[in-house]
């Protein structure tokens, strides 16, 4: 039992804590996920760097928990460190989400938000809070130099985004503290066919979508 627990394996959670995590996924190597957790634990007490780039991913659903994650880019360590999570339940209004994002923006300097562009009304509601232009037509027309709220053409780019997430995780560029167990479970159970995520078989698929979104503009040297 102690061996399984020390590995942080889904089998331990499933057998001893009666926690359903779904079947093991086929996207991310379990060893790479373990490395993410190890890096997360190693650097989770690293002081917040107000000068670093911070990226947030929000996958608005509102029919279930809507996850929000923030990552800090550490260029010296070549690492994307997950530093914040918040979940909004189905009783939370878009107005409340927009207000909360604006509050968080005051806490994290150099913070950009990446949101599924299909929810245009929510994005423009948030952009209004940030005094940003709401007349954009296509997601690719919104520049990170001019805006902090960035819509992403998720339906068009989701395969490339999953492949990029795989590369980032496998190459040891992602640090996820153990406390973000919802995201870790999503990585462990992620099922895909030709980089198309099977959301029926992936537990906490919205958490993985939020991670993919915030990785949109992260690049490290190989």
């Amino acid at each position: 039992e102690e061996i399984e627990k020390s590995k942080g394996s889904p089998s331990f959670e499933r057998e001893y804590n009666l926690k359903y995590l779904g079947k093991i996924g086929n996207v991310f190597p379990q060893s790479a996920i373990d490395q993410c957790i190890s890096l997360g634990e190693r650097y989770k007490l690293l002081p917040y760097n107000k000068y670093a780039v911070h990226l947030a991913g929000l996958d608005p659903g509102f029919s279930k928990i809507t996850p929000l994650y923030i990552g800090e880019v550490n260029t010296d360590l070549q690492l994307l460190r997950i530093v914040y999570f918040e979940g909004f339940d189905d009783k939370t209004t878009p107005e409340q989400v927009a207000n909360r994002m604006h509050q968080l923006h005051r806490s994290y300097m150099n913070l950009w938000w990446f949101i599924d562009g299909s929810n245009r009304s929510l994005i423009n509601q948030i952009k209004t809070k940030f005094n940003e232009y709401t007349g954009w037509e296509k997601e690719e027309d919104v520049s990170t130099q001019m805006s902090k709220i960035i819509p992403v053409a998720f339906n068009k780019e989701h395969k490339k985004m999953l492949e990029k997430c795989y590369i980032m995780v496998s190459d040891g560029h992602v640090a996820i503290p153990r406390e973000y167990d919802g995201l870790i479970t999503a990585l462990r159970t992620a099922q895909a066919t030709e980089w198309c995520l099977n959301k029926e078989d992936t537990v906490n698929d919205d958490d993985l979508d939020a991670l993919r979104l915030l990785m949109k503009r992260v690049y490290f040297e190989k």
Side-chain angles (χ1 to χ4, degrees), residues 128-206:
T128 300
K129 299 286 182 184
F130 286 75
N131 295 317
E132 292 186 2
Y133 177 64
T134 59
W136 54 281
E137 295 295 331
K138 297 180 294 183
E139 290 90 342
E140 53 266 31
D141 294 335
V142 180
S143 168
T144 54
Q145 295 181 337
M146 303 295 293
S147 305
K148 295 292 187 181
I149 310 302
I150 312 297
V152 177
F154 196 88
N155 288 337
K156 297 179 182 178
E157 301 183 44
H158 65 99
K159 289 186 178 182
K160 290 182 180 179
M161 292 168 68
L162 184 59
E163 184 177 9
K164 179 177 181 177
C165 187
Y166 162 80
I167 294 171
M168 291 270 293
V169 168
S170 298
D171 287 352
H173 290 308
V174 184
I176 307 174
R178 195 179 300 279
E179 65 196 79
Y180 301 121
D181 56 345
L183 180 55
I184 293 169
T185 297
L187 293 174
R188 288 203 187 281
T189 62
Q191 292 276 339
T193 302
E194 296 181 350
W195 300 115
C196 183
L197 187 68
N198 185 333
K199 299 199 172 188
E200 294 291 330
D201 293 332
T202 302
V203 181
N204 301 334
D205 57 284
D206 289 340

Side-chain angles (χ1 to χ4, degrees), residues 1 7 19 23 26 30 54 79 91 93 96 104 120 123 131 147 151 158 163 222:
E1 177 178 333
K7 292 180 180 178
K19 183 177 181 181
K23 62 183 180 180
N26 66 354
Q30 297 301 310
H54 291 88
L79 202 64
K91 296 180 181 179
T93 66
Q96 290 172 320
L104 287 169
R120 184 185 181 91
I123 291 173
N131 295 317
S147 305
H158 65 99
E163 184 177 9
K222 293 185 178 180

Side-chain angles (χ1 to χ4, degrees), residues 19-203:
K19 183 177 181 181
Y20 174 71
L21 299 181
K23 62 183 180 180
I24 297 300
N26 66 354
V27 178
F28 303 96
Q30 297 301 310
S31 59
I33 300 171
D34 290 339
Q35 184 181 30
C36 283
I37 299 170
S38 177
L39 289 168
E41 292 298 300
R42 183 187 306 174
Y43 295 114
K44 70 179 181 180
L45 298 180
L46 198 67
Y48 162 71
N49 182 358
K50 66 179 182 179
Y51 299 108
V53 170
H54 291 88
L55 307 167
L58 177 71
D59 183 35
F62 297 109
S63 61
K64 51 183 178 177
I65 296 297
T66 295
L68 178 159
Y69 285 93
I70 297 177
E72 180 177 283
V73 178
N74 188 310
T75 53
D76 292 334
L77 295 173
Q78 294 281 285
L79 202 64
L80 172 67
R81 185 167 62 107
I82 303 302
V83 296
Y84 184 83
F85 162 78
E86 186 168 346
F88 304 99
D89 61 25
D90 56 3
K91 296 180 181 179
T92 308
T93 66
E95 176 74 10
Q96 290 172 320
V97 173
N99 287 336
R100 181 61 181 142
M101 289 172 62
H102 196 260
Q103 289 174 351
L104 287 169
H105 198 82
R106 296 175 180 174
S107 301
Y108 292 88
M109 294 181 63
N110 302 320
L111 175 60
W112 283 262
W113 299 85
F114 294 85
I115 308 170
D116 185 351
S118 63
N119 198 329
R120 184 185 181 91
S121 61
L122 173 63
I123 291 173
N124 281 345
Q125 190 168 9
I126 299 168
K127 279 183 167 292
T128 300
K129 299 286 182 184
F130 286 75
N131 295 317
E132 292 186 2
Y133 177 64
T134 59
W136 54 281
E137 295 295 331
K138 297 180 294 183
E139 290 90 342
E140 53 266 31
D141 294 335
V142 180
S143 168
T144 54
Q145 295 181 337
M146 303 295 293
S147 305
K148 295 292 187 181
I149 310 302
I150 312 297
V152 177
F154 196 88
N155 288 337
K156 297 179 182 178
E157 301 183 44
H158 65 99
K159 289 186 178 182
K160 290 182 180 179
M161 292 168 68
L162 184 59
E163 184 177 9
K164 179 177 181 177
C165 187
Y166 162 80
I167 294 171
M168 291 270 293
V169 168
S170 298
D171 287 352
H173 290 308
V174 184
I176 307 174
R178 195 179 300 279
E179 65 196 79
Y180 301 121
D181 56 345
L183 180 55
I184 293 169
T185 297
L187 293 174
R188 288 203 187 281
T189 62
Q191 292 276 339
T193 302
E194 296 181 350
W195 300 115
C196 183
L197 187 68
N198 185 333
K199 299 199 172 188
E200 294 291 330
D201 293 332
T202 302
V203 181

